[in-house]
Amino acid sequence: MKRTLPELRDYLLSLVNHVEFVWDGIQGFIDPFSRESYFFFFGEEDPGTEFHDVDELLNAPCLNGHSIAEVCGEIEFWS
């Protein structure tokens, strides 16, 4: 499912469920534990990164130098 950046941001802030996605053929995973703790994984070898703010997560260059905010329209999400 495609999501706009505002839709993804609102979904993560709702803390309803984790988000899985594929970008550039690589699987990723976001687990929102709280509004101050988001765990992000991208690829099989990634040990994961904790972010303390949803906007920090969305703007970090974690996707091979790109941020989720930059390429959100190209990502296939499911949860």
Side-chain angles (χ1 to χ4, degrees):
M1 138 192 297
K2 299 288 184 176
R3 291 180 190 230
T4 66
L5 186 59
E7 288 171 338
L8 177 61
R9 185 179 187 281
D10 288 346
Y11 187 81
L12 291 170
L13 286 171
S14 74
L15 307 175
V16 174
N17 202 356
H18 65 270
V19 175
E20 294 182 57
F21 64 93
V22 172
W23 183 76
D24 200 25
I26 302 170
Q27 187 170 355
F29 186 86
I30 303 169
D31 203 346
F33 283 106
S34 72
R35 289 189 177 216
E36 293 83 32
S37 182
Y38 299 85
F39 284 90
F40 175 86
F41 304 87
F42 185 63
E44 292 180 16
E45 303 298 320
D46 186 0
T49 304
E50 181 179 11
F51 291 91
H52 300 286
D53 178 88
V54 70
D55 293 313
E56 177 187 19
L57 163 66
L58 295 173
N59 290 293
C62 323
L63 304 175
N64 297 334
H66 298 280
S67 70
I68 294 172
E70 289 176 297
V71 297
C72 189
E74 302 170 25
I75 299 174
E76 189 68 37
F77 295 98
W78 71 92
S79 45

Coordinates of all heavy atoms in Angstrom, one line a residue:
M1 N 0.8 -1.2 0.0 CA 0.0 0.0 0.0 C 0.9 1.2 0.0 O 1.8 1.3 0.8 CB -0.9 0.0 1.2 CG -1.1 1.3 1.9 SD -1.9 1.3 3.5 CE -3.5 0.7 3.1
K2 N 0.6 2.2 -0.8 CA 1.3 3.4 -0.9 C 0.7 4.3 0.2 O -0.5 4.3 0.5 CB 1.2 4.1 -2.2 CG 1.8 3.3 -3.4 CD 3.3 3.3 -3.3 CE 3.8 2.5 -4.5 NZ 5.2 2.5 -4.6
R3 N 1.6 5.1 0.8 CA 1.1 6.1 1.8 C 1.9 7.4 1.6 O 3.0 7.4 1.2 CB 1.5 5.7 3.2 CG 0.7 4.5 3.7 CD 1.1 4.1 5.1 NE 0.5 2.9 5.5 CZ -0.2 2.6 6.6 NH1 -0.3 3.5 7.4 NH2 -0.7 1.4 6.8
T4 N 1.2 8.5 1.8 CA 1.8 9.8 1.7 C 2.6 10.0 3.0 O 2.4 9.3 4.0 CB 0.8 10.9 1.6 OG1 0.0 11.0 2.8 CG2 -0.1 10.8 0.4
L5 N 3.5 10.9 3.0 CA 4.3 11.1 4.2 C 3.5 11.5 5.4 O 3.7 11.0 6.4 CB 5.4 12.2 3.9 CG 6.4 12.4 5.0 CD1 7.2 11.2 5.4 CD2 7.4 13.5 4.6
P6 N 2.5 12.5 5.2 CA 1.6 12.8 6.3 C 0.8 11.6 6.9 O 0.7 11.4 8.1 CB 0.7 13.8 5.8 CG 1.4 14.5 4.7 CD 2.2 13.4 4.1
E7 N 0.4 10.7 5.9 CA -0.3 9.5 6.4 C 0.6 8.5 7.2 O 0.2 8.0 8.2 CB -0.9 8.7 5.2 CG -2.0 9.4 4.5 CD -2.4 8.7 3.2 OE1 -1.6 8.0 2.5 OE2 -3.5 8.9 2.7
L8 N 1.8 8.4 6.7 CA 2.7 7.5 7.4 C 3.1 8.1 8.8 O 3.1 7.4 9.8 CB 4.0 7.3 6.6 CG 5.1 6.5 7.2 CD1 4.6 5.1 7.5 CD2 6.4 6.5 6.4
R9 N 3.3 9.4 8.8 CA 3.7 10.0 10.1 C 2.5 9.9 11.1 O 2.7 9.5 12.2 CB 3.9 11.5 9.8 CG 4.4 12.3 11.1 CD 4.7 13.7 10.7 NE 5.2 14.4 11.9 CZ 4.6 14.8 12.9 NH1 3.3 14.7 13.0 NH2 5.2 15.4 13.9
D10 N 1.3 10.1 10.6 CA 0.1 9.9 11.5 C 0.0 8.5 12.0 O -0.3 8.2 13.2 CB -1.2 10.4 10.8 CG -1.2 11.9 10.7 OD1 -0.5 12.6 11.3 OD2 -2.1 12.4 9.9
Y11 N 0.2 7.6 11.1 CA 0.1 6.1 11.5 C 1.1 5.8 12.5 O 0.8 5.1 13.5 CB 0.2 5.3 10.2 CG 0.0 3.8 10.5 CD1 -1.3 3.3 10.6 CD2 1.0 2.9 10.7 CE1 -1.6 2.0 10.8 CE2 0.7 1.6 11.0 CZ -0.6 1.1 11.0 OH -0.8 -0.2 11.3
L12 N 2.4 6.2 12.3 CA 3.4 5.9 13.3 C 3.1 6.6 14.7 O 3.3 5.9 15.7 CB 4.8 6.4 12.8 CG 5.4 5.6 11.6 CD1 6.6 6.3 11.1 CD2 5.7 4.2 12.0
L13 N 2.6 7.8 14.6 CA 2.2 8.5 15.9 C 1.1 7.8 16.6 O 0.9 7.9 17.8 CB 1.9 9.9 15.6 CG 3.1 10.8 15.3 CD1 2.7 12.2 14.9 CD2 4.0 10.9 16.6
S14 N 0.2 7.1 15.9 CA -0.9 6.4 16.5 C -0.5 5.2 17.3 O -1.2 4.7 18.1 CB -1.9 6.0 15.4 OG -1.4 4.8 14.7
L15 N 0.8 4.7 17.1 CA 1.3 3.6 17.8 C 0.5 2.3 17.7 O 0.5 1.4 18.6 CB 1.5 3.9 19.3 CG 2.3 5.2 19.6 CD1 2.3 5.4 21.1 CD2 3.7 5.1 19.1
V16 N -0.3 2.2 16.6 CA -1.2 1.1 16.4 C -0.5 -0.2 16.2 O -0.8 -1.3 16.7 CB -2.2 1.4 15.3 CG1 -3.0 0.1 15.0 CG2 -3.1 2.5 15.6
N17 N 0.5 -0.2 15.3 CA 1.2 -1.4 14.9 C 2.5 -1.1 14.2 O 2.8 0.1 13.9 CB 0.3 -2.1 13.8 CG 0.5 -3.6 13.7 OD1 1.4 -4.1 14.3 ND2 -0.2 -4.2 12.8
H18 N 3.3 -2.1 14.0 CA 4.6 -1.9 13.3 C 4.3 -1.7 11.8 O 3.2 -1.9 11.4 CB 5.6 -3.0 13.6 CG 5.1 -4.3 13.0 ND1 4.3 -5.2 13.7 CD2 5.2 -4.9 11.8 CE1 4.0 -6.2 12.9 NE2 4.5 -6.1 11.8
V19 N 5.3 -1.2 11.1 CA 5.2 -1.0 9.7 C 6.3 -1.7 9.0 O 7.5 -1.6 9.3 CB 5.3 0.5 9.4 CG1 5.3 0.7 7.9 CG2 4.2 1.3 10.0
E20 N 5.9 -2.5 8.0 CA 6.9 -3.2 7.2 C 6.9 -2.5 5.8 O 5.8 -2.0 5.4 CB 6.6 -4.7 7.1 CG 6.8 -5.4 8.4 CD 6.5 -6.9 8.2 OE1 7.2 -7.5 7.4 OE2 5.6 -7.4 8.9
F21 N 8.0 -2.5 5.1 CA 8.0 -1.9 3.8 C 9.1 -2.5 2.9 O 10.0 -3.2 3.4 CB 8.2 -0.4 3.9 CG 9.5 0.0 4.5 CD1 10.6 0.3 3.7 CD2 9.7 0.1 5.9 CE1 11.9 0.7 4.3 CE2 10.9 0.5 6.5 CZ 12.0 0.8 5.6
V22 N 9.1 -2.2 1.7 CA 10.1 -2.6 0.7 C 10.5 -1.4 -0.1 O 9.6 -0.7 -0.6 CB 9.7 -3.7 -0.2 CG1 10.7 -4.0 -1.3 CG2 9.4 -5.0 0.6
W23 N 11.7 -1.1 -0.2 CA 12.2 0.0 -1.0 C 13.5 -0.4 -1.7 O 14.4 -1.0 -1.0 CB 12.5 1.3 -0.2 CG 12.9 2.4 -1.1 CD1 12.1 3.2 -1.9 CD2 14.3 2.9 -1.2 NE1 12.9 4.1 -2.5 CE2 14.2 3.9 -2.2 CE3 15.5 2.5 -0.7 CZ2 15.3 4.6 -2.6 CZ3 16.6 3.2 -1.1 CH2 16.5 4.3 -2.0
D24 N 13.6 -0.2 -3.0 CA 14.7 -0.6 -3.8 C 15.1 -2.1 -3.6 O 16.2 -2.5 -3.5 CB 15.9 0.3 -3.4 CG 17.0 0.3 -4.5 OD1 16.7 0.1 -5.6 OD2 18.2 0.6 -4.1
G25 N 14.0 -2.9 -3.4 CA 14.2 -4.4 -3.3 C 14.7 -4.8 -1.9 O 15.0 -6.0 -1.7
I26 N 14.7 -3.9 -1.0 CA 15.2 -4.3 0.4 C 14.1 -4.1 1.4 O 13.4 -3.1 1.4 CB 16.4 -3.4 0.8 CG1 17.5 -3.6 -0.2 CG2 16.9 -3.7 2.2 CD1 18.7 -2.6 0.0
Q27 N 13.9 -5.1 2.2 CA 12.8 -5.0 3.2 C 13.3 -4.2 4.5 O 14.4 -4.3 4.9 CB 12.4 -6.4 3.7 CG 11.2 -6.4 4.6 CD 10.7 -7.8 4.8 OE1 11.2 -8.8 4.3 NE2 9.7 -7.9 5.7
G28 N 12.3 -3.4 5.0 CA 12.5 -2.6 6.2 C 11.4 -2.8 7.2 O 10.4 -3.4 6.8
F29 N 11.6 -2.3 8.4 CA 10.7 -2.5 9.5 C 10.8 -1.3 10.4 O 11.9 -0.9 10.7 CB 11.1 -3.8 10.2 CG 10.2 -4.3 11.2 CD1 9.1 -5.1 10.9 CD2 10.4 -4.0 12.6 CE1 8.2 -5.5 11.9 CE2 9.6 -4.4 13.6 CZ 8.5 -5.2 13.2
I30 N 9.7 -0.8 10.8 CA 9.6 0.3 11.8 C 8.7 -0.2 13.0 O 7.6 -0.6 12.7 CB 9.1 1.6 11.3 CG1 9.9 2.1 10.1 CG2 9.0 2.6 12.4 CD1 9.3 3.2 9.3
D31 N 9.2 -0.2 14.2 CA 8.4 -0.6 15.3 C 8.3 0.6 16.3 O 9.2 1.0 16.9 CB 9.1 -1.8 16.0 CG 8.1 -2.6 16.9 OD1 7.0 -2.1 17.1 OD2 8.5 -3.7 17.3
P32 N 7.1 1.2 16.3 CA 6.9 2.3 17.2 C 6.5 1.9 18.6 O 5.3 1.5 18.8 CB 5.7 3.1 16.5 CG 5.0 2.0 15.8 CD 5.9 1.0 15.4
F33 N 7.4 1.9 19.5 CA 7.1 1.5 20.9 C 6.4 2.5 21.7 O 5.6 2.3 22.5 CB 8.4 1.1 21.6 CG 8.9 -0.3 21.2 CD1 10.0 -0.4 20.4 CD2 8.3 -1.4 21.6 CE1 10.5 -1.6 20.0 CE2 8.8 -2.7 21.3 CZ 9.9 -2.8 20.4
S34 N 6.8 3.8 21.5 CA 6.1 4.9 22.1 C 6.4 6.1 21.3 O 7.2 6.1 20.3 CB 6.7 5.1 23.5 OG 8.0 5.7 23.5
R35 N 5.9 7.3 21.6 CA 6.1 8.5 20.8 C 7.6 9.0 21.0 O 8.0 9.9 20.3 CB 5.2 9.6 21.2 CG 3.8 9.3 20.7 CD 2.8 10.4 20.8 NE 1.6 10.0 20.3 CZ 0.8 10.8 19.6 NH1 1.1 12.1 19.5 NH2 -0.4 10.4 19.2
E36 N 8.3 8.4 21.9 CA 9.7 8.7 22.1 C 10.7 7.6 21.8 O 11.9 7.6 22.0 CB 10.0 9.1 23.5 CG 9.3 10.4 23.9 CD 7.9 10.2 24.3 OE1 7.5 9.2 24.9 OE2 7.0 11.2 24.1
S37 N 10.2 6.5 21.2 CA 11.0 5.3 20.9 C 10.5 4.6 19.6 O 9.5 3.9 19.7 CB 11.0 4.4 22.1 OG 11.9 3.3 21.8
Y38 N 11.2 4.8 18.5 CA 10.9 4.1 17.3 C 12.1 3.3 16.9 O 13.2 3.9 16.7 CB 10.6 5.1 16.2 CG 9.4 6.0 16.5 CD1 9.6 7.2 17.2 CD2 8.2 5.7 16.0 CE1 8.5 8.0 17.5 CE2 7.1 6.5 16.3 CZ 7.3 7.6 17.1 OH 6.2 8.4 17.3
F39 N 12.0 2.0 16.6 CA 13.1 1.2 16.2 C 13.0 1.0 14.7 O 11.9 0.6 14.2 CB 13.1 -0.2 16.9 CG 13.7 0.0 18.3 CD1 12.9 0.2 19.3 CD2 15.1 -0.1 18.5 CE1 13.4 0.4 20.6 CE2 15.6 0.0 19.8 CZ 14.7 0.3 20.8
F40 N 14.1 1.2 14.0 CA 14.1 1.1 12.5 C 15.1 0.1 12.0 O 16.3 0.1 12.5 CB 14.5 2.5 11.9 CG 14.6 2.5 10.5 CD1 13.6 2.7 9.6 CD2 15.9 2.3 9.9 CE1 13.7 2.7 8.3 CE2 16.1 2.4 8.5 CZ 15.0 2.5 7.7
F41 N 14.7 -0.8 11.1 CA 15.6 -1.8 10.6 C 15.5 -1.7 9.0 O 14.4 -1.6 8.5 CB 15.3 -3.2 11.0 CG 15.2 -3.4 12.5 CD1 14.1 -3.1 13.2 CD2 16.4 -3.8 13.2 CE1 14.1 -3.2 14.6 CE2 16.3 -4.0 14.6 CZ 15.2 -3.6 15.3
F42 N 16.6 -1.8 8.3 CA 16.6 -1.8 6.9 C 17.6 -2.8 6.3 O 18.8 -2.6 6.4 CB 16.9 -0.4 6.3 CG 16.7 -0.3 4.8 CD1 15.5 -0.5 4.2 CD2 17.8 0.0 4.0 CE1 15.4 -0.4 2.9 CE2 17.7 0.1 2.7 CZ 16.4 0.0 2.1
G43 N 17.1 -3.9 5.8 CA 18.0 -5.0 5.3 C 18.3 -6.0 6.4 O 18.2 -5.8 7.6
E44 N 18.7 -7.2 5.9 CA 18.9 -8.3 6.8 C 20.1 -8.1 7.8 O 20.1 -8.6 8.9 CB 19.2 -9.6 6.0 CG 18.0 -10.1 5.2 CD 18.2 -11.3 4.4 OE1 19.3 -12.0 4.7 OE2 17.5 -11.6 3.6
E45 N 21.1 -7.4 7.4 CA 22.3 -7.2 8.2 C 22.2 -6.0 9.2 O 23.1 -5.8 10.0 CB 23.5 -7.0 7.3 CG 23.7 -8.2 6.4 CD 24.0 -9.5 7.1 OE1 24.7 -9.5 8.1 OE2 23.4 -10.5 6.6
D46 N 21.1 -5.2 9.1 CA 21.0 -4.0 9.9 C 20.6 -4.4 11.4 O 19.6 -5.1 11.6 CB 19.9 -3.1 9.4 CG 19.8 -1.8 10.1 OD1 20.5 -1.5 11.0 OD2 18.9 -1.0 9.7
P47 N 21.5 -4.0 12.3 CA 21.2 -4.3 13.7 C 20.1 -3.5 14.3 O 19.5 -3.7 15.4 CB 22.5 -4.1 14.5 CG 23.2 -3.0 13.6 CD 22.7 -3.3 12.2
G48 N 19.7 -2.4 13.6 CA 18.6 -1.6 14.0 C 19.1 -0.3 14.6 O 20.2 -0.2 15.1
T49 N 18.3 0.7 14.5 CA 18.6 2.1 15.1 C 17.3 2.5 15.8 O 16.2 2.4 15.3 CB 18.9 3.1 13.9 OG1 19.9 2.6 13.2 CG2 19.2 4.4 14.5
E50 N 17.6 3.1 17.0 CA 16.5 3.7 17.8 C 16.4 5.2 17.5 O 17.4 5.9 17.6 CB 16.6 3.4 19.3 CG 15.5 4.0 20.1 CD 15.5 3.8 21.6 OE1 16.6 3.3 22.0 OE2 14.6 4.0 22.2
F51 N 15.2 5.7 17.2 CA 15.0 7.1 17.1 C 14.0 7.5 18.2 O 13.2 6.8 18.6 CB 14.4 7.4 15.7 CG 15.3 7.2 14.6 CD1 15.4 6.0 13.9 CD2 16.2 8.2 14.1 CE1 16.3 5.7 12.9 CE2 17.0 8.0 13.1 CZ 17.1 6.7 12.5
H52 N 14.2 8.8 18.6 CA 13.4 9.3 19.8 C 12.3 10.3 19.3 O 11.7 10.8 20.2 CB 14.3 9.9 20.8 CG 15.3 8.9 21.3 ND1 15.0 7.9 22.2 CD2 16.6 8.7 21.1 CE1 16.0 7.1 22.5 NE2 17.0 7.6 21.8
D53 N 12.2 10.4 18.0 CA 11.2 11.4 17.5 C 10.8 10.9 16.1 O 11.7 10.5 15.3 CB 11.8 12.8 17.4 CG 10.9 13.8 16.9 OD1 10.1 14.4 17.6 OD2 11.0 14.0 15.6
V54 N 9.5 10.9 15.8 CA 9.1 10.4 14.5 C 9.7 11.2 13.3 O 10.1 10.7 12.3 CB 7.5 10.4 14.4 CG1 6.9 11.8 14.4 CG2 7.1 9.5 13.2
D55 N 9.8 12.5 13.5 CA 10.4 13.3 12.4 C 11.9 13.1 12.2 O 12.4 13.1 11.1 CB 10.1 14.8 12.7 CG 8.6 15.2 12.6 OD1 8.0 14.7 11.6 OD2 8.1 15.8 13.5
E56 N 12.6 12.8 13.3 CA 14.0 12.4 13.2 C 14.1 11.1 12.4 O 14.9 11.0 11.5 CB 14.5 12.2 14.6 CG 16.0 11.7 14.7 CD 16.4 11.3 16.1 OE1 15.6 11.1 17.0 OE2 17.6 11.2 16.2
L57 N 13.2 10.2 12.7 CA 13.2 8.9 11.9 C 12.9 9.1 10.4 O 13.6 8.7 9.5 CB 12.2 8.0 12.5 CG 11.7 6.8 11.6 CD1 12.9 5.8 11.4 CD2 10.6 6.1 12.2
L58 N 11.9 9.9 10.1 CA 11.5 10.1 8.8 C 12.5 10.9 7.9 O 12.5 10.8 6.7 CB 10.1 10.8 8.7 CG 9.0 10.0 9.3 CD1 7.7 10.9 9.4 CD2 8.7 8.7 8.5
N59 N 13.3 11.7 8.6 CA 14.3 12.5 7.9 C 15.7 12.0 7.9 O 16.6 12.6 7.3 CB 14.2 14.0 8.4 CG 12.9 14.6 8.0 OD1 12.7 14.9 6.8 ND2 12.0 14.9 8.9
A60 N 16.0 10.9 8.6 CA 17.3 10.4 8.7 C 17.7 9.6 7.4 O 16.8 9.0 6.8 CB 17.4 9.4 9.8
P61 N 18.9 9.8 6.9 CA 19.3 9.1 5.6 C 19.6 7.7 5.8 O 20.7 7.2 5.6 CB 20.5 10.0 5.2 CG 21.1 10.4 6.5 CD 20.0 10.6 7.4
C62 N 18.6 6.9 6.2 CA 18.8 5.4 6.5 C 18.6 4.5 5.3 O 18.9 3.3 5.4 CB 17.9 5.0 7.6 SG 17.5 6.0 8.9
L63 N 18.1 5.0 4.2 CA 17.8 4.1 3.1 C 18.8 4.3 2.0 O 18.6 5.0 1.0 CB 16.4 4.4 2.5 CG 15.2 4.3 3.5 CD1 13.9 4.8 2.8 CD2 15.1 2.9 4.0
N64 N 20.0 3.8 2.3 CA 21.1 3.9 1.4 C 21.4 5.4 1.0 O 21.5 5.7 -0.1 CB 20.9 3.1 0.1 CG 20.8 1.6 0.4 OD1 21.4 1.1 1.4 ND2 20.2 0.9 -0.5
G65 N 21.4 6.2 2.0 CA 21.6 7.6 1.9 C 20.4 8.5 1.6 O 20.5 9.7 1.6
H66 N 19.2 7.9 1.5 CA 18.0 8.6 1.3 C 17.2 8.5 2.6 O 17.3 7.5 3.4 CB 17.2 8.0 0.2 CG 17.9 8.1 -1.1 ND1 17.9 9.2 -1.9 CD2 18.6 7.2 -1.8 CE1 18.6 9.0 -3.0 NE2 19.0 7.7 -3.0
S67 N 16.3 9.5 2.8 CA 15.4 9.4 4.0 C 14.0 8.9 3.5 O 13.7 9.0 2.3 CB 15.2 10.8 4.6 OG 14.5 11.7 3.7
I68 N 13.3 8.4 4.4 CA 11.9 8.0 4.1 C 11.1 9.2 3.6 O 10.4 9.0 2.6 CB 11.2 7.4 5.4 CG1 11.9 6.1 5.8 CG2 9.7 7.2 5.1 CD1 11.5 5.6 7.1
A69 N 11.3 10.4 4.1 CA 10.6 11.6 3.6 C 10.9 11.8 2.2 O 10.0 12.2 1.4 CB 11.0 12.8 4.5
E70 N 12.1 11.6 1.7 CA 12.5 11.8 0.3 C 11.9 10.8 -0.6 O 11.5 11.2 -1.8 CB 14.0 11.7 0.1 CG 14.8 12.8 0.7 CD 16.3 12.5 0.6 OE1 16.8 11.5 1.1 OE2 17.0 13.3 -0.1
V71 N 11.7 9.6 -0.2 CA 11.3 8.5 -1.2 C 10.0 7.9 -0.8 O 9.6 6.8 -1.3 CB 12.4 7.4 -1.3 CG1 13.7 8.0 -1.9 CG2 12.7 6.7 0.0
C72 N 9.2 8.5 0.1 CA 8.0 7.9 0.6 C 7.1 7.4 -0.5 O 6.5 6.4 -0.4 CB 7.3 8.9 1.5 SG 5.9 8.2 2.4
G73 N 6.9 8.2 -1.6 CA 6.0 7.8 -2.7 C 6.5 6.6 -3.4 O 5.7 6.0 -4.2
E74 N 7.7 6.2 -3.3 CA 8.2 5.0 -4.0 C 8.2 3.7 -3.1 O 8.5 2.6 -3.6 CB 9.7 5.2 -4.3 CG 9.9 6.4 -5.2 CD 11.4 6.8 -5.3 OE1 12.2 5.9 -5.2 OE2 11.7 7.9 -5.6
I75 N 7.8 3.9 -1.8 CA 7.9 2.8 -0.9 C 6.5 2.0 -0.9 O 5.5 2.6 -0.9 CB 8.2 3.2 0.5 CG1 9.6 3.9 0.5 CG2 8.2 2.1 1.5 CD1 10.0 4.6 1.8
E76 N 6.6 0.7 -0.8 CA 5.4 -0.1 -0.7 C 5.4 -0.6 0.8 O 6.2 -1.2 1.3 CB 5.5 -1.4 -1.6 CG 4.3 -2.2 -1.6 CD 3.1 -1.5 -2.3 OE1 3.4 -0.7 -3.3 OE2 2.0 -1.7 -1.9
F77 N 4.3 -0.1 1.5 CA 4.2 -0.4 2.9 C 3.1 -1.4 3.2 O 2.2 -1.6 2.4 CB 3.7 0.9 3.7 CG 4.6 2.1 3.6 CD1 4.5 3.1 2.7 CD2 5.7 2.1 4.6 CE1 5.4 4.1 2.7 CE2 6.6 3.2 4.6 CZ 6.4 4.2 3.6
W78 N 3.2 -2.1 4.3 CA 2.2 -3.0 4.8 C 2.4 -3.1 6.3 O 3.5 -2.8 6.8 CB 2.1 -4.3 4.1 CG 3.2 -5.3 4.4 CD1 3.3 -6.2 5.3 CD2 4.4 -5.4 3.6 NE1 4.4 -6.9 5.2 CE2 5.2 -6.4 4.2 CE3 5.0 -4.7 2.6 CZ2 6.5 -6.8 3.8 CZ3 6.3 -5.1 2.1 CH2 7.0 -6.1 2.7
S79 N 1.4 -3.4 7.0 CA 1.5 -3.6 8.5 C 0.5 -4.6 9.0 O -0.2 -5.2 8.2 CB 1.3 -2.3 9.2 OG 0.2 -1.6 8.7

